[in-house]
Amino acid sequence: YDWGPGNEDELVQARKIIDNFTINNPGVIKELIVDRGYLDGKWLGQIKLDHNIDSLIPLKKNMSNYTDALEIAKTKSWETIKQKEDDKGNIIYKFSGVYVEEMKLWDSNKCPQHVYLIKKYFLKKSTGEYKEKIWGLTSTRKYSIVMAFNRYRLRVAIEERYRQFKYSWNLSKFPSPNENLMEAYIAFTMASYS
């Protein structure tokens, strides 16, 4: 971890934490599974080239990289990842995906990025209509579409645990500005939680 102001950008914090950690622990971090706040081509290329750390991160829908991948995906067939049906064989939800290999997403990043588009097709209970949502993930590592989907689900599970820490255990409301007291409180809270 790194001490810093509460309003400091998460990418600034990540740069410091990754650089400091890898100096003393080279090769330990193999992959970062992060959210859109870390979507920076220069940094993603830097951690791959300097530290051999792969990344898995969602793309923003307004990015040309996302829309370009959608256009390329029209020429490919989508693979079913996961599906659930009711007793009558009607689809309740279905995840499918397609893989677009080695896109050059950023001029500032010399590492090829692979894009994984995932489509969720689901029955909206309130209207009885089927809806469709598509999102994109990018990685410096080549995965199967199923593996990319499963790997990214780890971030969702980790964030839910963090949310429980933050709100249920009041980690963000600790009143003391003393660094040692804060570290002890967080350590004991985490030990009792786990």
Side-chain angles (χ1 to χ4, degrees), residues 33-184:
I33 304 172
V34 292
D35 67 15
R36 290 179 183 95
Y38 300 92
L39 197 55
D40 179 77
K42 184 177 180 182
W43 184 67
L44 295 174
Q46 179 186 352
I47 62 171
K48 177 64 176 171
L49 294 174
D50 294 350
H51 307 297
N52 199 27
I53 299 173
D54 286 302
S55 57
L56 181 63
I57 187 167
L59 291 170
K60 295 178 182 176
K61 291 194 177 201
N62 64 354
M63 294 178 72
S64 59
N65 308 316
Y66 173 80
T67 56
D68 289 352
L70 276 177
E71 288 301 313
I72 293 169
K74 290 178 181 177
T75 65
K76 298 177 173 266
S77 58
W78 290 68
E79 175 185 341
T80 299
I81 299 170
K82 188 177 179 180
Q83 181 171 316
K84 184 174 181 180
E85 299 175 355
D86 64 15
D87 296 337
K88 298 176 186 174
N90 299 318
I91 294 174
I92 298 172
Y93 67 81
K94 176 181 177 178
F95 288 97
S96 57
V98 68
Y99 165 62
V100 181
E101 189 174 6
E102 294 191 14
M103 293 186 71
K104 304 291 185 196
L105 300 182
W106 293 280
D107 292 335
S108 59
N109 181 349
K110 303 304 177 202
C111 300
Q113 297 285 136
H114 311 289
V115 175
Y116 306 88
L117 295 173
I118 299 167
K119 182 189 308 183
K120 182 181 180 183
Y121 177 76
F122 60 99
L123 179 64
K124 193 169 182 182
K125 291 181 181 178
S126 60
T127 62
E129 298 175 350
Y130 282 98
K131 296 285 184 184
E132 183 177 280
K133 289 185 179 179
I134 300 175
W135 71 92
L137 301 171
T138 183
S139 180
T140 49
R141 182 182 285 183
K142 287 185 183 182
Y143 291 110
S144 68
I145 191 66
V146 174
M147 183 64 135
F149 175 79
N150 288 333
R151 296 289 293 165
Y152 193 71
R153 286 175 53 194
L154 291 172
R155 186 185 78 84
V156 176
I158 290 166
E159 282 202 1
E160 179 55 33
R161 288 192 183 116
Y162 174 74
R163 194 172 291 117
Q164 289 174 13
F165 270 148
K166 187 174 179 181
Y167 296 113
S168 301
W169 292 87
N170 293 322
L171 293 181
S172 63
K173 297 185 189 284
F174 190 67
S176 175
N178 183 290
E179 188 175 320
N180 292 331
L181 285 175
M182 290 173 70
E183 287 176 338

Side-chain angles (χ1 to χ4, degrees), residues 21-30 51-53:
F21 183 84
T22 54
I23 286 170
N24 298 318
N25 306 283
V28 173
I29 300 175
K30 305 293 184 206
H51 307 297
N52 199 27
I53 299 173

